[in-house]
Every structure is written in structure tokens, then in C-alpha cells.
Amino acid sequence: MMVESTDSLKIDLSIILPTLNEVESVPVTLSVLEELLQGVAFELIVVDDDSSDGTWQKVLEISRNDPKIRLVRRVHRKGLSTAIMEGFMAAKGQKLLVADADLQHDLSIIPKMLEASEDHDLVVGSRYLEQSRISGWSSSRQSLSIYGTRFACSLINHKVSDPLSGCLLYTSDAADDMQCVDLGGRRII
């Protein structure tokens, strides 16, 4: 019997999950994505900044039983933007999705994002659309996010509903042209 490796299969979607000390949430996130994306040829690339809580070890353990899951462990390299870029470089998919591994974003929007990506090179999982929801944020956290969004839009000189979103879908061509600005743990698309 011959088993085909994921290297020879066509991958439609690469999901990049940058992590740092998220050992509790990563297995849940991976399970949610597996359930959500049944029927989609995808890979999960966890880019870990050498977590001290065992995150990368947990991902490595899970990946031994699931060839769709890959680990990029970054030792002595830190930063969200560079982690995302390394994930892009490792990705094999035609479309690239970046998501936070801590389930702060409603991952159930991914199928809608995939549909929207048929007509757009960049799809933002915005927190500021009518159908979006933000829960558990204090009023000061909401204000900070709104002002941060306005500032980010002024930097990139484009009107984007949520340029600080942690949930983004790019075509691989758009990702090749992407420039990412890191602002102390947050990034601007």
C-alpha cells in the first residue's frame, strides 16, 4: 500500500497560527479548524516563538498523528510579523490565512472568507462589521482599538475596517507583495 504525503497533494489553504505560550488553546483551535474545514484541502502551520509552556512540544506531538499540521519552531527569534512571514514562506497553499491561536476570533467565518477570496486578494475578518461581535472588552479596550484602527489606516493610506485584525486571508500572490508593520505585538496589514 502506498500512502501519498501532503507534499504531493494540492493544498488550497494554508493556515498560519503564530503562537507564544498557548499550550491550552492550541489543541482546541486545531480541533475547531479540522471540524470547520472538512472537505477543504488545507494545512496548519503553527509558528511558535519557542514557548516556555510546552506549546511547541504539544504541536509536535499532535503533528505526529496528523500530516496536515506542521510546526515551525523559532528559537531566538521573536515577533508576530516575522512569525507570520515565516509561516507564509513555509506555506504551500494557494490561499493563506492568518489567525490567532487563542480563539479570540470567530473561526466559523473562515468559509465566508474563502468565498469572498474568490473575488478579492485580501479578506479581513473584521471585528467592526454589523454581524461581527466583540465580547469581554472593557470600554477603554474598545476605545483603544478604535483609535488604533484609525491610526493604522492613516499609516497604510487605505480604508480598511480592521487593519489590526488577527484574522486575515490572502491569495498567495497578494502575500508575496505584502508588507507587514509590527507595532509592539500588533501588526498592520
Side-chain angles (χ1 to χ4, degrees), residues 10 38 45 47 49 63 71 84 87 144 147 151 153 188-189:
K10 181 180 181 256
Q38 291 181 15
I45 303 169
V47 183
D49 278 359
S63 72
L71 170 68
I84 292 168
L144 181 64
Y147 289 115
F151 175 68
C153 285
I188 302 172
I189 54 174

Side-chain angles (χ1 to χ4, degrees), residues 18-168:
T19 59
L20 179 64
N21 295 328
E22 300 184 64
V23 71
E24 297 296 323
S25 60
V26 164
V28 177
T29 301
L30 297 179
S31 177
V32 166
L33 289 168
E34 288 273 358
E35 174 101 10
L36 185 65
L37 295 172
Q38 291 181 15
V40 176
F42 72 97
E43 65 177 348
L44 293 165
I45 303 169
V46 177
V47 183
D48 186 79
D49 278 359
D50 201 25
S51 294
S52 61
D53 72 345
T55 300
W56 69 266
Q57 292 96 328
K58 179 56 108 176
V59 172
L60 186 60
E61 176 187 320
I62 295 168
S63 72
R64 288 186 176 127
N65 296 317
D66 190 341
K68 287 191 303 278
I69 300 172
R70 295 193 290 141
L71 170 68
V72 175
R73 179 180 174 207
R74 297 175 1 126
V75 179
H76 305 300
R77 293 187 317 275
K78 303 269 187 229
L80 185 57
S81 293
T82 58
I84 292 168
M85 297 310 282
E86 281 195 48
F88 283 176
M89 289 187 292
K92 299 174 184 168
Q94 299 300 308
K95 297 181 181 180
L96 310 174
L97 178 101
V98 178
D100 291 339
D102 58 8
L103 293 173
Q104 281 194 20
H105 296 97
D106 180 6
L107 299 180
S108 69
I109 67 170
I110 293 174
K112 288 181 184 176
M113 292 176 75
L114 284 168
E115 187 178 319
S117 72
E118 296 301 321
D119 298 320
H120 304 283
D121 290 335
L122 170 64
V123 180
V124 179
S126 177
R127 298 166 288 186
Y128 303 118
L129 300 176
E130 187 174 309
Q131 66 272 25
S132 302
R133 57 190 150 93
I134 300 173
S135 59
W137 281 14
S138 67
S139 60
S140 61
R141 172 67 178 95
Q142 288 178 356
S143 294
L144 181 64
S145 182
I146 290 167
Y147 289 115
T149 297
R150 289 179 185 159
F151 175 68
C153 285
S154 73
L155 287 177
I156 62 173
N157 202 23
H158 288 296
K159 178 76 173 124
V160 178
S161 64
D162 193 359
L164 300 173
S165 174
C167 190
L168 305 159

Side-chain angles (χ1 to χ4, degrees), residues 8-21:
S8 62
L9 297 176
K10 181 180 181 256
I11 297 174
D12 296 322
L13 176 65
S14 295
I15 302 169
I16 292 89
L17 300 176
T19 59
L20 179 64
N21 295 328

